[in-house]
């Protein structure tokens, strides 16, 4: 997506730009390696990486040139290109660059003006291409299948760790390349922790079991949270569960293009507050996802981004 890189370059009035965020690097160039960065100017678009990825860059990046930095000194390599390009205004990713690298550029005594790009590239990632949506759909399908499998084996006596391992194994077996994040499986009192770590606690009859999990398919993440009760649900469990369900439905009813992201959050939050559980819904309604599991825009009370078609948002209210 060289054109998108050049668009950011032009919109910010830059002579060159340095992309160091690993997801932005992959998004713009297609390079999936674990190390490297992009140098972008009108004259050249380059993936800089080390010898481990010299061949891979050629295979993956058709509209970027590959450049192998033998001593891994990216600052020296980039400074040389800036000099050759006569670049004066240089954009860099102020949210991901290392302080050491920034100081190295400064200390080289070069005259370039370093300009923070903020979320200029991340904002492009918010609007998904059809092929990106298909990958996320597949990642979600794998999660769905793993959840269906877990329902078959959930019973008193199985431990939280065993549930998490089974979810992980099932997603990987079904074609996931890795997990989006560490799987959460929490039961009974542990399910009060939104980001609980699975323990050796055995599931008991009457427990709430909350599972939060997702996987990566061809680079793209899924994320889902599901809560079930083992055996019969008590009146309070039903009340809490139904409130969360109604909150989710209320959010989905107003979720859609042309509205500020905060509206859906407010819709869900109102349902939960009216039911008397307001203080137990501490996090945002949701978030976007893609190459990374938390992307722009967020779906929270202070997210005023207008939602656009092809943005993907999770809708996951909770009472903890
Ligand atoms: Mn989430």
């Amino acid at each position: 997506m060289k054109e998108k890189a050049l668009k950011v370059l032009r919109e910010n009035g830059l002579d060159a730009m340095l992309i160091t965020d690993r997801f932005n690097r992959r998004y713009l160039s297609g390079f999936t390696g674990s190390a490297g960065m992009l140098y972008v100017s009108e004259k050249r678009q380059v993936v800089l990486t080390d010898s481990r990825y010299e061949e891979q860059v050629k295979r993956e990046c058709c509209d970027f040139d590959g450049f192998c930095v033998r001593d891994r000194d990216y600052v020296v390599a980039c400074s040389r290109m800036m000099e050759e390009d006569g670049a004066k205004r240089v954009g860099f990713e102020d949210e991901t660059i290392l302080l050491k690298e920034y100081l190295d550029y400064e200390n080289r005594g070069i005259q370039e003006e370093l300009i923070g790009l903020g979320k200029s590239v991340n904002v492009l990632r918010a609007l998904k291409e059809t092929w990106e949506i298909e990958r996320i759909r597949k990642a979600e399908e794998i999660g769905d299948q793993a959840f269906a499998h877990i329902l078959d084996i959930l019973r008193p006596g199985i431990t939280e760790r065993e549930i998490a391992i089974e979810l992980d194994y099932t997603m990987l077996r079904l074609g996931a390349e890795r997990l989006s994040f560490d799987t959460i499986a929490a039961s009974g009192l542990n399910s009060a922790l939104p980001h609980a770590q699975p323990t050796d606690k055995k599931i008991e009859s009457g427990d709430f079991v909350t599972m939060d999990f997702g996987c990566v398919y061809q680079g793209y993440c899924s994320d889902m949270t599901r809560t079930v009760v083992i055996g019969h649900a008590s009146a309070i469990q039903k009340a809490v569960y139904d409130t969360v369900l109604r909150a989710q439905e209320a959010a989905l009813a107003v979720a859609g293009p042309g509205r500020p992201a905060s509206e859906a959050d407010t819709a869900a939050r109102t349902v939960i507050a009216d039911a008397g559980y307001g203080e137990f819904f501490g996090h945002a309604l949701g978030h976007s996802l893609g190459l990374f599991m938390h992307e722009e825009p967020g779906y929270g009370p202070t997210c005023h981004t207008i939602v656009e078609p092809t943005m993907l948002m999770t809708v996951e209210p909770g009472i903890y």
Side-chain angles (χ1 to χ4, degrees):
M1 304 223 243
K2 185 174 85 178
E3 283 314 312
K4 287 191 179 172
L6 290 172
K7 182 175 172 234
V8 176
L9 187 80
R10 287 165 194 157
E11 279 178 357
N12 288 279
L14 303 169
D15 301 318
M17 104 186 154
L18 314 171
I19 300 297
T20 45
D21 176 275
R22 66 191 174 112
F23 298 112
N24 288 342
R25 178 185 75 209
R26 172 168 181 167
Y27 181 72
L28 295 174
S29 73
F31 175 53
T32 65
S34 67
M37 61 169 291
L38 308 182
Y39 175 92
V40 178
S41 69
E42 290 288 348
K43 247 188 262 174
R44 58 180 135 196
Q45 299 81 41
V46 183
V47 180
L48 296 95
T49 186
D50 59 66
S51 59
R52 292 171 297 170
Y53 296 113
E54 203 169 3
E55 279 305 308
Q56 190 176 323
V57 164
K58 286 181 210 160
R59 288 186 198 177
E60 291 181 337
C61 312
C62 45
D63 52 3
F64 274 71
D65 292 322
F67 184 84
C68 180
V69 185
R70 295 268 167 219
D71 53 6
R72 299 196 191 181
D73 196 336
Y74 294 98
V75 175
V76 170
C78 284
S79 298
R80 195 177 304 131
M81 287 192 251
M82 286 181 223
E83 218 168 292
E84 288 170 6
D85 289 351
K88 295 291 171 234
R89 275 174 60 86
V90 178
F92 73 102
E93 294 201 287
D94 44 327
E95 296 192 11
T96 52
I97 198 168
L98 295 174
L99 177 61
K100 183 186 178 302
E101 287 173 330
Y102 181 83
L103 294 175
D104 281 350
Y105 284 112
E106 279 204 333
N107 291 341
R108 287 179 60 81
I110 47 181
Q111 300 304 308
E112 289 84 359
E113 189 188 346
L114 291 170
I115 294 158
L117 287 171
K119 295 195 186 295
S120 302
V121 180
N122 303 58
V123 165
L124 297 182
R125 276 165 49 196
L127 297 175
K128 264 61 177 184
E129 307 278 345
T130 307
W131 58 268
E132 295 181 285
I133 295 171
E134 284 310 314
R135 290 181 185 189
I136 296 168
R137 190 193 304 279
K138 176 70 183 173
E140 294 288 5
E141 271 173 20
I142 291 171
D144 253 343
Q145 287 174 275
F147 177 62
H149 168 67
I150 278 296
L151 292 183
D152 284 341
I153 63 167
L154 260 187
R155 52 173 167 29
I158 189 172
T159 71
E160 294 173 352
R161 266 170 45 77
E162 286 166 343
I163 296 171
I165 292 165
E166 192 67 25
L167 279 169
D168 294 354
Y169 173 72
T170 308
M171 289 189 285
L172 294 169
R173 191 168 46 77
L174 290 171
E177 61 199 44
R178 59 190 162 83
L179 308 170
S180 311
F181 54 90
D182 290 342
T183 296
I184 294 166
S187 65
L189 293 177
N190 295 344
S191 68
L193 282 63
H195 276 189
Q197 287 194 355
T199 70
D200 289 322
K201 177 189 171 299
K202 288 191 165 91
I203 307 303
E204 294 165 51
S205 186
D207 271 355
F208 256 144
V209 179
T210 294
M211 292 157 279
D212 191 354
F213 55 99
C215 67
V216 179
Y217 180 77
Q218 293 183 355
Y220 285 77
C221 296
S222 66
D223 175 15
M224 67 170 74
T225 309
R226 296 288 182 268
T227 298
V228 297
V229 171
I230 306 299
H232 290 283
S234 67
I236 177 97
Q237 283 173 325
K238 281 183 182 165
V240 170
Y241 187 97
D242 286 341
T243 305
V244 174
L245 180 58
R246 281 191 295 117
Q248 190 189 32
E249 286 167 350
L252 289 171
V254 299
R259 299 169 187 251
S262 55
E263 261 189 34
D265 180 281
T266 303
R269 210 162 289 282
T270 304
V271 170
I272 290 176
D274 287 352
Y277 298 114
E279 62 183 300
F280 307 114
F281 178 23
H283 56 72
L285 174 69
H287 51 87
S288 190
L289 81 177
L291 287 170
F292 185 45
M293 67 150 308
H294 286 145
E295 293 201 354
E296 301 296 317
Y299 230 176
T302 58
C303 304
H304 303 301
T305 307
I306 303 294
V307 177
E308 292 178 56
T310 77
M311 281 183 181
L312 268 74
M313 312 296 296
T314 71
V315 177
E316 40 185 347
I319 296 172
Y320 293 94

